[in-house]
Structure formats: C-alpha cells, structure tokens
Amino acid sequence: MNQPSVYLDTTIPSYLFEEREELKALIQITQQWWHQERQNFELYLSEETLTELNKGNYPNKTEVLNRIAEVLMLPPHSRIAEIVTVYVDNYLMPREVKADAIHLAYASVYGLDFLVTWNYNHLANANKRQHITGHQFTVGIIYP
C-alpha cells in the first residue's frame, strides 16, 4: 500500500527547531508529528523550501537543514511558473509573496495528497480553502 504524499512548506522544518515562545504550541505539534507520524507519509519538498530555509537568519539553521536532508526533493517542472501565474492572476495567492504560490504549484503539479504548513495567511487560510481545492490545480491541505 502506498503511503499518502506530503509536501512540506518551509514552516514545518523550521518549526522543528524554532525557539519563539509565542509559537510554542505549534512547535510542539510539529515536533510530535515529525517524531510520531512522518514515517506514515512520503515526504517531499522543493528547491523553494530549501532556498527559503537557506536564506533565513535564525538559530538552529544547521539542525533544520540536516533534518530535511532525508526528505525527497521534487525536481523543477516546466509547468510550475505557468501555475504560479494562474494562482497569482486569479488572486488565489498574493503577488508579493510568490513563494507561497510556488509551494502550492509544486504540490499541485506533482499531485501530492497534502500540503502541510503553518502558513495561515495564504496556504492554510480557511477563507481560501474552497478556492484552492475547487481550482483546476488542486491539492489537499491538512488543517490543524
């Protein structure tokens, strides 16, 4: 039996080692999921996730990058840019934060079962869920 496929946006690996007190509950949930549940899924990320993690200036960066070394990297795809444009032009994702559209496009192009994120502004926004899942390019999103 195939395991469900999961795309990890930048928030998931970064919260594994996050230290901000105001995010404590999300950090604990992320760490618990990583240690107890991730083996039940095929995990994927993209070059965009890796780029964002490398660009960040935060504590424990080395640990974060080491942790994701075991996650499968999705190769670039010719349709990513086209789908990002569709998402942005149709106001599904914001123009000023193209990375969010890129994450969604990767999960869509590769037909992954879930996109896991703590990004409530754009990716896990309940107000956008119907628009995202009802669009031509769909992706399941795990909502906490």
Side-chain angles (χ1 to χ4, degrees):
M1 182 173 155
N2 289 340
Q3 294 179 312
S5 56
V6 169
Y7 178 89
L8 303 175
D9 89 330
T10 309
T11 61
I12 302 306
S14 67
Y15 279 31
L16 289 172
F17 295 95
E18 180 61 65
E19 296 177 342
R20 288 179 281 176
E21 187 63 31
E22 67 271 18
L23 298 173
K24 187 175 183 178
L26 301 181
I27 294 164
Q28 289 175 338
I29 292 167
T30 303
Q31 290 171 344
Q32 181 179 2
W33 181 84
W34 190 267
H35 296 296
Q36 297 176 5
E37 297 296 329
R38 75 178 158 91
Q39 69 274 7
N40 297 317
F41 300 92
E42 282 286 329
L43 303 182
Y44 297 92
L45 51 83
S46 69
E47 189 66 36
E48 183 64 30
T49 307
L50 190 58
T51 298
E52 288 179 27
L53 290 170
N54 275 308
K55 282 191 329 189
N57 183 17
Y58 52 89
N60 304 313
K61 182 176 186 174
T62 302
E63 289 86 349
V64 171
L65 294 171
N66 286 339
R67 187 61 54 97
I68 64 166
E70 64 192 55
V71 177
L72 299 171
M73 179 75 68
L74 294 169
H77 192 287
S78 60
R79 295 199 61 212
I80 297 295
E82 169 192 346
I83 293 172
V84 166
T85 300
V86 169
Y87 286 153
V88 169
D89 287 351
N90 288 284
Y91 305 102
L92 296 172
M93 291 288 120
R95 291 184 187 284
E96 63 278 1
V97 187
K98 288 243 171 129
D100 294 341
I102 293 169
H103 291 305
L104 186 58
Y106 265 96
S108 299
V109 163
Y110 284 97
L112 302 183
D113 297 312
F114 300 100
L115 186 157
V116 181
T117 183
W118 287 118
N119 178 341
Y120 290 107
N121 288 331
H122 306 125
L123 295 173
N125 183 324
N127 294 323
K128 292 189 177 200
R129 183 177 184 191
Q130 183 177 9
H131 298 289
I132 292 170
T133 58
H135 199 267
Q136 177 182 357
F137 309 105
T138 62
V139 63
I141 299 175
I142 296 176
Y143 287 88

